[in-house]
């Protein structure tokens, strides 16, 4: 066992060294000094309070999406629909804020607007997540395929929305809504930066999921991913598992839609999701579905994006898109580590003692209940 642990550490170290070497090679190929590029990367993250705030702002939506994906990924339910759920949540939140403010003749208090946006955003994201869950339970439609296609449907709905009922009357270069009421904007957490109070939501969610991972519900989801029939005997039916886990991820993505509108853009834009949904999946995997690891990975991803801008400014030749290449290499390394960590279980499994199956009648009854559900 110690030999296996040693091999994992060696593989992890090799991945880290490979990432550093590839990043350095990319900088050299761009015609810049690697040390100067590294200096620009660090300064782009920490040279001023504003840049630190930008890292935090970027980490909030990624962290929320990744944290709320923990139950689904732990249960083996792989959804890639966070992008569409963010979009629908943002539309619902924007519409709700305008509606509430209009009903009170423009005098709605900030707390009421925040609650309206939060609830409406979560509702929109949750509804968008329940649709592929229904398709998966009712007709066994693959959730990866359905959620991926629904992202395009949500993008089309957003484009239509910004050209019709939520479109601003002002002449703008890009489709957008009117600016939200000033009271609806999330207040700044760090003066002089865009870092808002949504950061506290990430902390709360991390604590909640840290406690949840020690619960029986978390164990049932883990059992469901590997041994569905055993999970049935523990009360984790397929329909209940798919609906509940996808609903949690949808609610989180919908709240992110509201945060992007009220905390970052102050209006609904066609770029409201900004790839946050896909980054959230990557961060959840990179953080090994552990809340602390996910928070650290979200900060790392956001720092890469912010630091790449500083690297471009310092070198003048390295494009900021190098951050996306480094992220891709990093994820390939994570995939290699995850695949290697599955090997011991596959090797040990055949040597485990065979446990007699439960009587046929209880299993048939459980499966019948699942079919009826």
């Amino acid at each position: 066992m110690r030999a296996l642990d040693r091999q994992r550490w060696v593989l992890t170290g090799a991945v880290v060294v490979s990432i550093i070497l590839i990043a350095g090679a990319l900088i050299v190929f761009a015609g810049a000094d690697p040390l100067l590029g590294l200096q620009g990367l660090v300064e782009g993250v920490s040279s001023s309070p504003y840049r630190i705030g930008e890292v935090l702002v970027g980490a909030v939506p990624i962290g929320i999406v990744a944290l709320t994906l923990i139950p689904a990924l732990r249960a083996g339910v792989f959804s890639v629909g966070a992008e569409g759920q963010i979009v629908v949540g943002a539309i619902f939140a924007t519409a709700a804020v305008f509606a509430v403010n209009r009903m009170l003749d423009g005098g709605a208090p900030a707390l009421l607007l925040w609650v309206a946006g939060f609830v409406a955003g979560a509702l929109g994201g949750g509804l968008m997540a329940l649709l592929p869950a229904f398709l998966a339970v009712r007709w066994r439609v693959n959730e990866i395929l359905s959620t991926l296609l629904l992202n395009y449907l949500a993008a089309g709905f957003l484009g239509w929305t910004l050209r019709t009922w939520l479109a601003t009357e002002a002449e703008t270069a890009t489709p957008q809504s009117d600016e939200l009421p000033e009271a609806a904007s999330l207040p700044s957490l760090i003066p002089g930066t865009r870092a808002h109070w949504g950061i506290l939501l990430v902390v709360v969610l991390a604590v909640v999921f840290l406690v949840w991972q020690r619960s029986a519900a978390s164990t049932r989801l883990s059992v469901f991913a590997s041994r569905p029939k055993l999970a049935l005997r523990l009360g984790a039916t397929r329909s209940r598992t798919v609906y509940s886990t996808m609903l949690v991820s949808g609610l989180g993505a919908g709240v992110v839609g509201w945060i992007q509108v009220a905390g970052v853009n102050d209006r609904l834009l066609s770029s409201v999701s900004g790839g946050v949904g896909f980054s959230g999946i990557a961060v959840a995997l990179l953080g090994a579905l552990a809340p602390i690891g996910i928070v650290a990975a979200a900060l790392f991803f956001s720092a890469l994006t912010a630091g790449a801008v500083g690297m471009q400014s310092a070198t003048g030749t390295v494009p900021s898109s190098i951050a996306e290449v480094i992220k891709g290499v990093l994820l390939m390394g994570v995939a290699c580590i995850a695949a290697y960590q599955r090997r011991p279980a596959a090797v040990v499994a055949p040597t485990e003692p065979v446990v007699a199956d439960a009587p046929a009648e209880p299993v048939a009854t459980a499966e019948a209940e699942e079919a009826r559900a």
Side-chain angles (χ1 to χ4, degrees):
M1 203 61 186
R2 291 180 179 177
L4 289 175
D5 290 338
R6 194 179 303 113
Q7 290 173 2
R8 289 191 188 118
W9 279 111
V10 170
L11 179 60
T12 303
V15 170
V16 172
V17 172
S18 300
I19 292 170
I20 295 174
L21 292 177
I22 291 174
L26 290 174
I27 295 174
V28 171
F29 289 156
D33 182 359
L35 294 180
L36 181 61
L38 180 61
Q39 180 181 353
L41 180 68
V42 174
E43 290 179 352
V45 173
S46 58
S47 60
S48 67
Y50 179 82
R51 293 184 182 275
I52 296 175
E54 288 300 290
V55 173
L56 295 176
V57 167
V60 167
I62 299 175
I64 294 175
V65 170
L67 287 169
T68 52
L69 276 171
I70 290 178
L73 294 177
R74 184 174 289 274
V77 180
F78 203 90
S79 167
V80 293
E83 284 284 303
Q85 293 154 16
I86 291 172
V87 166
V88 175
I91 294 173
F92 274 50
T94 304
V97 167
F98 283 140
V100 170
N101 194 57
R102 192 178 303 112
M103 283 190 297
L104 297 178
D105 296 327
L111 182 60
L112 180 59
L113 294 178
W114 295 341
V115 172
F118 181 93
V119 173
L123 178 63
L127 291 175
M128 194 64 177
L130 287 178
L131 178 55
F134 171 76
L135 295 175
V137 171
R138 182 67 178 83
W139 290 296
R140 301 278 177 169
V141 177
N142 185 281
E143 63 271 10
I144 298 177
L145 179 61
S146 61
T147 51
L148 181 63
L149 294 178
L150 284 172
N151 288 337
Y152 295 100
L153 181 63
F157 180 52
L158 174 63
W160 175 78
T161 296
L162 292 179
R163 291 193 302 270
T164 54
W165 61 290
L166 280 182
T168 179
E169 296 181 356
E171 294 293 334
T172 57
T174 58
Q176 57 185 266
S177 70
D178 288 326
E179 187 174 355
L180 293 183
E182 185 176 353
S185 299
L186 294 179
S188 174
L189 182 62
I190 303 176
T193 71
R194 296 197 303 166
H196 49 71
W197 284 87
I199 297 169
L200 298 183
L201 182 58
V202 178
V203 177
V204 171
L205 286 175
V207 173
V208 168
F209 281 107
L210 197 61
V211 174
W212 174 83
Q213 283 191 325
R214 302 174 182 270
S215 66
S218 174
T219 303
R220 281 196 295 269
L221 291 184
S222 299
V223 173
F224 178 85
S226 56
R227 298 185 178 181
K229 290 186 178 180
L230 177 58
L232 272 175
R233 300 188 187 111
L234 298 176
T237 64
R238 183 175 184 275
S239 58
R240 188 182 307 158
T241 300
V242 172
Y243 277 124
S244 61
T245 56
M246 292 190 72
L247 178 61
V248 169
S249 62
L251 293 174
V255 169
V256 167
W258 166 68
I259 288 176
Q260 292 298 88
V261 172
V264 179
N265 301 320
D266 292 327
R267 68 191 71 211
L268 181 62
L269 300 173
S270 57
S271 59
V272 63
S273 60
V276 167
F278 295 122
S279 296
I281 299 172
V283 164
L285 297 175
L286 180 60
L289 302 186
I292 302 301
I294 286 175
V295 172
L299 288 170
F300 176 71
F301 260 52
S302 181
L304 266 182
T305 303
V309 177
M311 185 188 299
Q312 183 177 18
S313 300
T315 61
T317 58
V318 179
S320 59
S321 57
I322 190 176
E324 303 304 319
V325 179
I326 297 175
K327 290 177 187 177
V329 175
L330 178 62
L331 290 177
M332 290 177 62
V334 172
C336 292
I337 295 173
Y340 185 83
Q341 287 177 339
R342 291 175 63 90
R343 287 180 57 193
V347 173
V348 175
T351 64
E352 292 179 351
V354 178
V355 180
D357 289 337
E361 185 176 351
V363 175
T365 302
E367 290 179 349
E369 290 178 357
E370 169 64 7
R372 286 197 297 270

